[in-house]
Amino acid sequence: MTEVTLAVVGGGLRGLTYARRAHATGAGRVVAVAEPDPGRRAAFAAEFGIPPEGEHLGWKELAAAGRVADAAVIATHDQLHTGPAVTMADLGYHILLEKPMATSERESARIADAARRNGIMLAVCHVLRYTPYTRVVRGLLDGGRIGRLVSVQHLEPVGWWHQAHSFVRGHWRRQDTSAPMLLAKACHDIDWLVHLFGRPPTKISSFGSLSHFRAEERPAPAADRCLDCPLEPSCPYSAKRLYLGCLGDPDSEFWPLSAVTPGRTEAEVLEALRTGPYGRCVYACDNDVVDHQEVVMEFDDGATCSFTMSAFTPMEHRRTRLFGTHGYIDGDGSTLRLVDFRTGEEEVVETAGEGGPSAADGHGGGDEGLTDAFLAAVASGDASLLRSDAAESLMTHRVVWAAERARLTGSVVTL
Protein backbone atom coordinates (compact mmCIF):
# COMPACT_ATOMS: atom_id res chain seq x y z
CA MET A 1 0.00 0.00 0.00
CA THR A 2 1.20 3.51 -0.77
CA GLU A 3 2.62 5.28 2.28
CA VAL A 4 0.40 8.17 3.34
CA THR A 5 2.10 11.31 4.63
CA LEU A 6 0.52 12.97 7.67
CA ALA A 7 0.55 16.39 9.30
CA VAL A 8 -0.59 16.23 12.93
CA VAL A 9 -2.30 19.23 14.53
CA GLY A 10 -2.10 18.69 18.29
CA GLY A 11 0.66 16.52 19.72
CA GLY A 12 -1.17 15.25 22.81
CA LEU A 13 -2.54 11.82 23.65
CA ARG A 14 -4.89 11.47 20.70
CA GLY A 15 -2.50 12.85 18.12
CA LEU A 16 0.19 10.51 19.40
CA THR A 17 -2.17 7.53 19.29
CA TYR A 18 -3.00 7.88 15.60
CA ALA A 19 0.56 8.83 14.63
CA ARG A 20 2.04 5.84 16.45
CA ARG A 21 -0.34 3.43 14.78
CA ALA A 22 0.45 4.86 11.35
CA HIS A 23 4.16 4.61 12.06
CA ALA A 24 3.95 1.09 13.52
CA THR A 25 2.14 -0.34 10.50
CA GLY A 26 4.24 1.50 7.95
CA ALA A 27 1.08 2.73 6.26
CA GLY A 28 1.70 6.34 7.23
CA ARG A 29 4.61 8.69 7.87
CA VAL A 30 4.36 11.87 9.94
CA VAL A 31 6.12 14.73 8.19
CA ALA A 32 4.84 17.75 10.17
CA VAL A 33 3.43 18.64 13.58
CA ALA A 34 1.70 21.76 14.91
CA GLU A 35 1.85 21.96 18.70
CA PRO A 36 2.13 25.12 20.85
CA ASP A 37 3.81 23.41 23.82
CA PRO A 38 7.55 23.46 23.03
CA GLY A 39 8.44 20.40 25.09
CA ARG A 40 5.63 18.33 23.65
CA ARG A 41 6.40 19.54 20.12
CA ALA A 42 10.09 18.64 20.44
CA ALA A 43 9.31 15.18 21.84
CA PHE A 44 6.78 14.53 19.07
CA ALA A 45 9.21 15.61 16.37
CA ALA A 46 12.00 13.49 17.83
CA GLU A 47 9.81 10.38 18.06
CA PHE A 48 8.75 10.54 14.41
CA GLY A 49 11.90 12.02 12.89
CA ILE A 50 10.23 15.23 11.76
CA PRO A 51 12.74 17.72 10.33
CA PRO A 52 12.93 21.26 11.80
CA GLU A 53 10.98 22.74 8.88
CA GLY A 54 8.13 20.38 9.77
CA GLU A 55 7.77 21.71 13.33
CA HIS A 56 5.15 24.44 13.74
CA LEU A 57 3.91 26.48 16.67
CA GLY A 58 0.28 26.13 15.62
CA TRP A 59 -2.07 25.17 12.81
CA LYS A 60 -1.92 28.61 11.18
CA GLU A 61 1.84 28.31 10.76
CA LEU A 62 1.38 24.81 9.34
CA ALA A 63 -1.28 26.04 6.92
CA ALA A 64 0.99 28.87 5.78
CA ALA A 65 3.42 26.25 4.48
CA GLY A 66 0.76 24.99 2.05
CA ARG A 67 -0.16 21.36 1.64
CA VAL A 68 2.85 19.42 2.91
CA ALA A 69 1.16 16.02 3.39
CA ASP A 70 -1.61 13.85 2.01
CA ALA A 71 -3.72 14.06 5.15
CA ALA A 72 -4.04 15.95 8.41
CA VAL A 73 -4.84 14.56 11.84
CA ILE A 74 -6.62 17.22 13.88
CA ALA A 75 -6.42 16.43 17.59
CA THR A 76 -6.66 19.83 19.24
CA HIS A 77 -8.95 20.58 22.17
CA ASP A 78 -12.67 20.33 21.38
CA GLN A 79 -13.29 24.06 20.93
CA LEU A 80 -10.34 24.44 18.57
CA HIS A 81 -11.39 22.09 15.75
CA THR A 82 -13.15 24.41 13.32
CA GLY A 83 -10.33 26.68 12.20
CA PRO A 84 -7.81 23.97 11.34
CA ALA A 85 -10.43 21.60 9.91
CA VAL A 86 -11.88 24.15 7.49
CA THR A 87 -8.48 25.54 6.52
CA MET A 88 -6.90 22.12 5.95
CA ALA A 89 -9.90 21.03 3.88
CA ASP A 90 -9.53 24.16 1.75
CA LEU A 91 -5.87 23.25 1.21
CA GLY A 92 -6.90 19.82 -0.05
CA TYR A 93 -5.88 17.69 2.93
CA HIS A 94 -7.89 14.58 3.74
CA ILE A 95 -8.76 14.85 7.43
CA LEU A 96 -8.90 12.58 10.45
CA LEU A 97 -10.76 14.71 12.99
CA GLU A 98 -10.92 13.91 16.67
CA LYS A 99 -14.43 13.81 18.08
CA PRO A 100 -16.52 15.83 18.59
CA MET A 101 -16.51 17.58 15.21
CA ALA A 102 -16.92 20.90 17.02
CA THR A 103 -18.78 22.18 20.06
CA SER A 104 -21.68 23.78 18.18
CA GLU A 105 -23.97 22.73 15.37
CA ARG A 106 -23.07 25.80 13.30
CA GLU A 107 -19.33 25.10 13.43
CA SER A 108 -19.78 21.38 12.76
CA ALA A 109 -21.88 22.27 9.70
CA ARG A 110 -19.05 24.55 8.51
CA ILE A 111 -16.62 21.63 8.73
CA ALA A 112 -18.95 19.26 6.89
CA ASP A 113 -19.52 21.89 4.19
CA ALA A 114 -15.77 22.40 3.77
CA ALA A 115 -15.29 18.66 3.28
CA ARG A 116 -18.06 18.53 0.67
CA ARG A 117 -16.94 21.71 -1.08
CA ASN A 118 -13.37 20.49 -1.46
CA GLY A 119 -14.16 16.88 -2.26
CA ILE A 120 -11.91 15.55 0.52
CA MET A 121 -12.40 12.58 2.82
CA LEU A 122 -13.12 13.59 6.41
CA ALA A 123 -13.44 10.93 9.08
CA VAL A 124 -14.54 11.93 12.57
CA CYS A 125 -12.90 9.66 15.12
CA HIS A 126 -15.99 7.66 16.07
CA VAL A 127 -13.71 4.77 16.92
CA LEU A 128 -16.48 2.51 18.26
CA ARG A 129 -17.57 1.87 14.67
CA TYR A 130 -14.19 0.28 13.95
CA THR A 131 -13.87 -2.31 16.70
CA PRO A 132 -14.00 -6.06 15.97
CA TYR A 133 -16.88 -6.19 18.47
CA THR A 134 -18.92 -3.75 16.39
CA ARG A 135 -18.25 -5.68 13.20
CA VAL A 136 -19.62 -8.84 14.80
CA VAL A 137 -22.71 -7.08 16.22
CA ARG A 138 -23.51 -5.47 12.87
CA GLY A 139 -22.99 -8.80 11.13
CA LEU A 140 -25.50 -10.49 13.42
CA LEU A 141 -28.05 -7.72 12.92
CA ASP A 142 -27.57 -7.53 9.15
CA GLY A 143 -27.77 -11.33 8.93
CA GLY A 144 -31.20 -11.30 10.57
CA ARG A 145 -30.07 -13.39 13.52
CA ILE A 146 -32.49 -11.65 15.92
CA GLY A 147 -35.07 -10.50 13.37
CA ARG A 148 -36.09 -6.85 13.36
CA LEU A 149 -34.41 -4.73 16.01
CA VAL A 150 -37.15 -3.46 18.33
CA SER A 151 -35.35 -2.09 21.38
CA VAL A 152 -31.84 -1.41 22.73
CA GLN A 153 -30.45 -0.74 26.21
CA HIS A 154 -26.94 0.74 26.22
CA LEU A 155 -24.70 1.74 29.14
CA GLU A 156 -21.61 3.96 28.99
CA PRO A 157 -19.81 3.27 32.31
CA VAL A 158 -17.64 6.37 32.59
CA GLY A 159 -15.95 5.25 35.81
CA TRP A 160 -15.83 7.06 39.13
CA TRP A 161 -12.15 8.02 38.94
CA HIS A 162 -12.34 8.89 35.22
CA GLN A 163 -15.20 11.29 35.95
CA ALA A 164 -13.12 12.93 38.67
CA HIS A 165 -10.06 13.13 36.42
CA SER A 166 -11.58 14.42 33.17
CA PHE A 167 -14.97 15.91 34.01
CA VAL A 168 -14.53 17.35 37.51
CA ARG A 169 -10.87 18.36 37.77
CA GLY A 170 -9.84 18.12 34.11
CA HIS A 171 -10.16 19.77 30.72
CA TRP A 172 -13.78 18.71 30.08
CA ARG A 173 -15.26 19.90 33.39
CA ARG A 174 -17.06 23.00 32.05
CA GLN A 175 -19.44 23.52 29.17
CA ASP A 176 -18.14 27.03 28.40
CA THR A 177 -14.54 25.86 27.94
CA SER A 178 -15.34 22.45 26.44
CA ALA A 179 -18.82 21.10 25.69
CA PRO A 180 -21.78 19.36 27.36
CA MET A 181 -20.60 15.99 28.65
CA LEU A 182 -22.96 14.12 26.33
CA LEU A 183 -21.08 15.63 23.40
CA ALA A 184 -17.57 15.45 24.85
CA LYS A 185 -17.81 11.89 26.16
CA ALA A 186 -20.79 10.12 24.64
CA CYS A 187 -21.10 11.36 21.05
CA HIS A 188 -19.20 8.06 20.52
CA ASP A 189 -22.17 6.18 21.90
CA ILE A 190 -24.97 8.10 20.21
CA ASP A 191 -23.14 7.70 16.90
CA TRP A 192 -22.71 3.96 17.53
CA LEU A 193 -26.37 3.44 18.38
CA VAL A 194 -27.50 5.29 15.24
CA HIS A 195 -25.03 3.11 13.33
CA LEU A 196 -26.70 -0.05 14.70
CA PHE A 197 -30.18 1.12 13.73
CA GLY A 198 -28.95 2.40 10.38
CA ARG A 199 -30.88 5.66 10.61
CA PRO A 200 -31.43 8.59 12.98
CA PRO A 201 -34.24 8.62 15.54
CA THR A 202 -37.38 10.68 15.06
CA LYS A 203 -38.01 11.64 18.71
CA ILE A 204 -35.66 12.19 21.66
CA SER A 205 -36.05 12.85 25.38
CA SER A 206 -33.34 13.16 28.02
CA PHE A 207 -32.83 13.64 31.74
CA GLY A 208 -29.68 14.17 33.79
CA SER A 209 -27.82 16.52 36.10
CA LEU A 210 -24.74 17.21 38.18
CA SER A 211 -25.92 15.45 41.29
CA HIS A 212 -22.82 14.65 43.33
CA PHE A 213 -19.63 16.56 42.42
CA ARG A 214 -20.70 19.89 43.87
CA ALA A 215 -20.23 21.95 47.03
CA GLU A 216 -23.48 20.79 48.65
CA GLU A 217 -22.15 17.22 48.76
CA ARG A 218 -18.86 18.16 50.42
CA PRO A 219 -18.25 16.45 53.79
CA ALA A 220 -17.75 18.96 56.61
CA PRO A 221 -14.09 18.17 57.41
CA ALA A 222 -12.97 18.11 53.76
CA ALA A 223 -10.12 20.40 52.68
CA ASP A 224 -9.81 22.18 49.33
CA ARG A 225 -6.95 19.87 48.30
CA CYS A 226 -6.50 16.15 48.78
CA LEU A 227 -3.01 16.57 50.24
CA ASP A 228 -4.43 18.63 53.10
CA CYS A 229 -7.57 16.56 53.69
CA PRO A 230 -8.13 14.33 56.73
CA LEU A 231 -10.66 12.33 54.70
CA GLU A 232 -8.27 11.58 51.83
CA PRO A 233 -7.39 7.98 52.85
CA SER A 234 -11.05 6.93 52.75
CA CYS A 235 -12.25 9.12 49.86
CA PRO A 236 -13.03 7.26 46.62
CA TYR A 237 -11.88 10.31 44.65
CA SER A 238 -8.46 10.71 46.31
CA ALA A 239 -6.09 12.36 43.84
CA LYS A 240 -3.12 11.18 45.87
CA ARG A 241 -4.16 7.54 45.60
CA LEU A 242 -5.04 7.79 41.91
CA TYR A 243 -1.98 9.56 40.57
CA LEU A 244 0.72 8.07 42.82
CA GLY A 245 -0.77 4.72 41.86
CA CYS A 246 0.09 5.44 38.22
CA LEU A 247 3.84 5.49 38.86
CA GLY A 248 5.66 2.49 37.48
CA ASP A 249 2.87 1.54 35.06
CA PRO A 250 3.71 2.77 31.52
CA ASP A 251 0.09 2.72 30.39
CA SER A 252 -1.13 4.73 33.40
CA GLU A 253 1.82 7.11 33.11
CA PHE A 254 0.79 7.75 29.49
CA TRP A 255 -2.78 8.36 30.70
CA PRO A 256 -4.08 9.71 33.02
CA LEU A 257 -0.82 10.82 34.68
CA SER A 258 0.51 12.71 31.63
CA ALA A 259 -2.36 15.18 31.99
CA VAL A 260 -1.25 15.96 35.55
CA THR A 261 2.52 16.25 35.21
CA PRO A 262 5.36 15.26 32.87
CA GLY A 263 7.22 14.11 35.99
CA ARG A 264 7.57 10.45 36.91
CA THR A 265 8.66 10.66 40.54
CA GLU A 266 6.62 10.77 43.71
CA ALA A 267 7.93 14.25 44.52
CA GLU A 268 6.93 15.60 41.10
CA VAL A 269 3.44 14.12 41.33
CA LEU A 270 2.91 15.52 44.82
CA GLU A 271 4.06 18.96 43.68
CA ALA A 272 1.57 18.88 40.80
CA LEU A 273 -1.21 17.92 43.20
CA ARG A 274 -0.16 20.69 45.56
CA THR A 275 -0.29 23.42 42.91
CA GLY A 276 -2.30 22.19 39.92
CA PRO A 277 -5.97 21.54 39.15
CA TYR A 278 -5.78 17.76 39.56
CA GLY A 279 -5.10 17.99 43.29
CA ARG A 280 -8.36 19.75 44.08
CA CYS A 281 -11.17 18.29 46.13
CA VAL A 282 -13.90 17.04 43.79
CA TYR A 283 -16.41 19.02 45.85
CA ALA A 284 -14.42 22.27 45.48
CA CYS A 285 -13.93 22.55 41.71
CA ASP A 286 -15.53 24.81 39.12
CA ASN A 287 -17.12 21.95 37.15
CA ASP A 288 -20.65 22.18 35.78
CA VAL A 289 -21.13 19.19 33.42
CA VAL A 290 -23.52 16.40 34.34
CA ASP A 291 -22.38 13.27 36.18
CA HIS A 292 -25.23 11.11 34.88
CA GLN A 293 -27.65 11.33 31.96
CA GLU A 294 -30.33 9.25 30.26
CA VAL A 295 -31.31 9.56 26.61
CA VAL A 296 -34.38 7.85 25.14
CA MET A 297 -34.85 7.66 21.38
CA GLU A 298 -37.75 6.50 19.19
CA PHE A 299 -37.30 5.53 15.53
CA ASP A 300 -39.62 5.77 12.56
CA ASP A 301 -40.84 2.16 12.89
CA GLY A 302 -41.56 2.46 16.63
CA ALA A 303 -38.26 0.91 17.74
CA THR A 304 -36.81 2.45 20.90
CA CYS A 305 -33.40 2.89 22.47
CA SER A 306 -32.37 3.91 25.98
CA PHE A 307 -28.85 5.14 26.71
CA THR A 308 -27.33 5.66 30.17
CA MET A 309 -24.12 7.59 30.81
CA SER A 310 -23.01 7.40 34.44
CA ALA A 311 -19.98 8.39 36.50
CA PHE A 312 -20.93 5.98 39.25
CA THR A 313 -19.47 2.80 37.77
CA PRO A 314 -16.15 1.11 37.23
CA MET A 315 -14.56 2.22 33.95
CA GLU A 316 -15.37 -0.74 31.73
CA HIS A 317 -16.45 -1.61 28.21
CA ARG A 318 -19.89 -0.44 27.18
CA ARG A 319 -22.70 -2.91 27.84
CA THR A 320 -25.54 -3.39 25.39
CA ARG A 321 -28.73 -5.45 25.18
CA LEU A 322 -30.41 -5.77 21.80
CA PHE A 323 -33.99 -7.01 21.64
CA GLY A 324 -35.25 -8.35 18.32
CA THR A 325 -38.43 -10.00 17.07
CA HIS A 326 -36.64 -13.36 16.70
CA GLY A 327 -33.80 -13.14 19.20
CA TYR A 328 -31.81 -11.34 21.86
CA ILE A 329 -28.16 -10.26 22.19
CA ASP A 330 -26.42 -9.32 25.43
CA GLY A 331 -22.93 -7.85 24.94
CA ASP A 332 -20.19 -6.55 27.22
CA GLY A 333 -17.78 -5.13 24.65
CA SER A 334 -15.97 -8.42 24.22
CA THR A 335 -18.40 -11.34 24.48
CA LEU A 336 -21.90 -11.65 23.01
CA ARG A 337 -24.62 -13.98 24.23
CA LEU A 338 -27.19 -14.65 21.52
CA VAL A 339 -30.55 -16.33 22.20
CA ASP A 340 -32.53 -17.54 19.17
CA PHE A 341 -36.29 -17.52 19.88
CA ARG A 342 -36.96 -19.86 16.96
CA THR A 343 -34.84 -22.72 18.30
CA GLY A 344 -34.38 -21.78 21.96
CA GLU A 345 -30.65 -22.25 21.49
CA GLU A 346 -28.03 -19.99 23.04
CA GLU A 347 -24.70 -19.10 21.44
CA VAL A 348 -21.70 -17.33 22.95
CA VAL A 349 -19.70 -15.30 20.44
CA GLU A 350 -16.21 -14.09 21.34
CA THR A 351 -14.85 -11.08 19.48
CA ALA A 352 -11.18 -10.44 18.89
CA GLY A 353 -10.99 -6.92 20.33
CA GLU A 354 -7.64 -5.57 21.46
CA GLY A 355 -7.17 -3.59 24.64
CA GLY A 356 -9.63 -2.07 27.05
CA PRO A 357 -12.38 0.54 26.91
CA SER A 358 -10.47 3.79 27.27
CA ALA A 359 -8.34 6.13 25.22
CA ALA A 360 -5.28 4.77 27.02
CA ASP A 361 -5.76 1.27 25.67
CA GLY A 362 -7.15 1.77 22.21
CA HIS A 363 -10.93 1.68 22.73
CA GLY A 364 -11.11 -2.08 22.23
CA GLY A 365 -9.19 -1.97 18.97
CA GLY A 366 -11.19 0.95 17.58
CA ASP A 367 -8.24 3.37 17.50
CA GLU A 368 -6.22 0.91 15.44
CA GLY A 369 -9.14 0.01 13.18
CA LEU A 370 -9.99 3.64 12.46
CA THR A 371 -6.38 4.62 11.72
CA ASP A 372 -5.88 1.65 9.40
CA ALA A 373 -9.14 2.33 7.54
CA PHE A 374 -8.37 6.03 7.13
CA LEU A 375 -4.87 5.41 5.80
CA ALA A 376 -6.17 2.74 3.41
CA ALA A 377 -8.93 5.06 2.18
CA VAL A 378 -6.47 7.90 1.50
CA ALA A 379 -3.92 5.60 -0.15
CA SER A 380 -6.49 4.05 -2.48
CA GLY A 381 -8.82 7.01 -2.92
CA ASP A 382 -11.67 4.73 -1.83
CA ALA A 383 -13.92 6.54 0.65
CA SER A 384 -16.09 3.43 1.07
CA LEU A 385 -13.40 2.01 3.38
CA LEU A 386 -14.57 4.56 5.97
CA ARG A 387 -17.66 3.73 8.03
CA SER A 388 -18.96 7.30 8.12
CA ASP A 389 -18.35 10.57 6.35
CA ALA A 390 -18.65 14.20 7.41
CA ALA A 391 -22.37 14.37 6.60
CA GLU A 392 -23.23 11.28 8.64
CA SER A 393 -21.14 12.45 11.58
CA LEU A 394 -22.92 15.81 11.48
CA MET A 395 -26.23 13.94 11.54
CA THR A 396 -25.33 11.92 14.65
CA HIS A 397 -23.97 15.05 16.36
CA ARG A 398 -27.35 16.67 15.74
CA VAL A 399 -28.94 13.81 17.67
CA VAL A 400 -26.69 14.72 20.62
CA TRP A 401 -27.67 18.39 20.47
CA ALA A 402 -31.34 17.42 20.27
CA ALA A 403 -30.91 15.29 23.40
CA GLU A 404 -29.34 18.23 25.21
CA ARG A 405 -32.23 20.49 24.18
CA ALA A 406 -34.63 17.86 25.49
CA ARG A 407 -32.78 17.66 28.82
CA LEU A 408 -32.61 21.42 29.32
CA THR A 409 -36.22 22.09 28.33
CA GLY A 410 -37.88 18.99 29.76
CA SER A 411 -39.45 18.30 26.40
CA VAL A 412 -39.57 15.63 23.69
CA VAL A 413 -37.63 16.88 20.67
CA THR A 414 -38.74 15.83 17.19
CA LEU A 415 -36.13 15.48 14.46
Side-chain angles (χ1 to χ4, degrees):
M1 183 168 60
T2 303
E3 182 184 61
V4 174
T5 53
L6 296 171
V8 178
V9 182
L13 184 149
R14 300 309 293 161
L16 274 171
T17 295
Y18 304 125
R20 284 174 174 168
R21 177 64 178 184
H23 180 78
T25 61
R29 177 167 56 91
V30 181
V31 299
V33 61
E35 167 56 55
D37 182 278
R40 184 179 287 172
R41 183 173 65 250
F44 196 102
E47 178 171 346
F48 298 103
I50 299 171
E53 61 271 21
E55 297 183 47
H56 301 276
L57 179 64
W59 68 265
K60 292 181 181 179
E61 289 78 6
L62 172 61
R67 186 182 178 190
V68 299
D70 301 313
V73 177
I74 298 176
T76 55
H77 196 54
D78 297 352
Q79 292 197 332
L80 303 176
H81 286 180
T82 308
V86 171
T87 301
M88 296 299 170
D90 286 342
L91 287 171
Y93 284 88
H94 301 292
I95 295 173
L96 185 64
L97 176 62
E98 185 53 61
K99 62 87 186 170
M101 292 182 77
T103 55
S104 73
E105 185 170 354
R106 180 183 63 82
E107 293 199 349
S108 295
R110 282 186 61 203
I111 293 171
D113 181 66
R116 178 198 55 76
R117 183 176 68 245
N118 292 288
I120 57 101
M121 287 181 273
L122 187 148
V124 176
C125 296
H126 288 306
V127 295
L128 297 184
R129 290 190 179 220
Y130 292 85
T131 64
Y133 177 80
T134 297
R135 288 197 295 272
V136 173
V137 172
R138 275 298 302 259
L140 294 173
L141 293 176
D142 294 344
R145 292 294 301 278
I146 64 169
R148 181 171 63 87
L149 187 60
V150 173
S151 182
V152 171
Q153 293 177 346
H154 181 67
L155 169 66
E156 155 63 300
V158 177
W160 81 96
W161 66 263
H162 184 201
Q163 181 82 22
H165 172 75
S166 294
F167 302 101
V168 178
R169 298 174 172 126
H171 292 304
W172 294 273
R173 67 186 182 272
R174 293 186 60 84
Q175 295 189 56
D176 59 351
T177 57
S178 178
M181 188 172 169
L182 190 68
L183 182 66
K185 183 70 178 81
C187 68
H188 271 330
D189 298 86
I190 299 298
D191 176 83
W192 188 76
L193 292 166
V194 172
H195 179 55
L196 293 189
F197 279 94
R199 60 197 185 281
T202 55
K203 294 180 181 178
I204 303 171
S205 64
S206 183
F207 304 90
S209 65
L210 174 58
S211 65
H212 183 64
F213 299 99
R214 53 185 187 164
E216 294 87 341
E217 296 288 312
R218 178 174 174 166
D224 287 345
R225 288 191 173 269
C226 290
L227 296 186
D228 303 320
C229 186
L231 302 179
E232 179 273 322
S234 61
C235 179
Y237 308 106
S238 164
K240 182 179 178 182
R241 182 190 313 117
L242 170 59
Y243 299 117
L244 288 180
C246 293
L247 292 174
D249 178 353
D251 290 338
S252 296
E253 288 181 349
F254 179 57
W255 185 85
L257 187 60
S258 61
V260 180
T261 174
R264 294 297 178 265
T265 67
E266 180 174 335
E268 288 170 314
V269 173
L270 291 175
E271 176 61 21
L273 298 185
R274 174 70 63 192
T275 59
Y278 291 93
R280 294 179 294 175
C281 173
V282 293
Y283 308 108
C285 294
D286 60 342
N287 55 301
D288 64 6
V289 299
V290 302
D291 53 27
H292 67 113
Q293 187 166 350
E294 310 283 335
V295 178
V296 178
M297 296 178 276
E298 183 180 56
F299 292 81
D300 53 4
D301 63 350
T304 56
C305 177
S306 64
F307 166 60
T308 299
M309 175 180 68
S310 178
F312 309 106
T313 67
M315 194 178 74
E316 299 176 330
H317 282 294
R318 278 86 168 167
R319 295 175 180 267
T320 311
R321 293 172 173 169
L322 301 105
F323 307 89
T325 54
H326 293 159
Y328 164 84
I329 297 173
D330 190 353
D332 64 2
S334 176
T335 301
L336 297 161
R337 171 177 167 248
L338 188 151
V339 180
D340 190 322
F341 300 162
R342 292 161 288 198
T343 64
E345 293 181 354
E346 295 191 15
E347 178 183 355
V348 175
V349 181
E350 299 288 348
T351 65
E354 301 174 4
S358 77
D361 45 36
H363 291 113
D367 289 354
E368 294 88 349
L370 167 66
T371 307
D372 295 350
F374 178 74
L375 293 173
V378 173
S380 64
D382 183 2
S384 70
L385 297 175
L386 299 170
R387 292 182 192 158
S388 60
D389 59 13
E392 185 167 3
S393 291
L394 176 60
M395 177 268 288
T396 65
H397 276 58
R398 282 175 166 152
V399 176
V400 176
W401 286 308
E404 271 298 283
R405 288 197 300 274
R407 182 180 73 86
L408 293 172
T409 61
S411 62
V412 176
V413 173
T414 299
L415 290 178

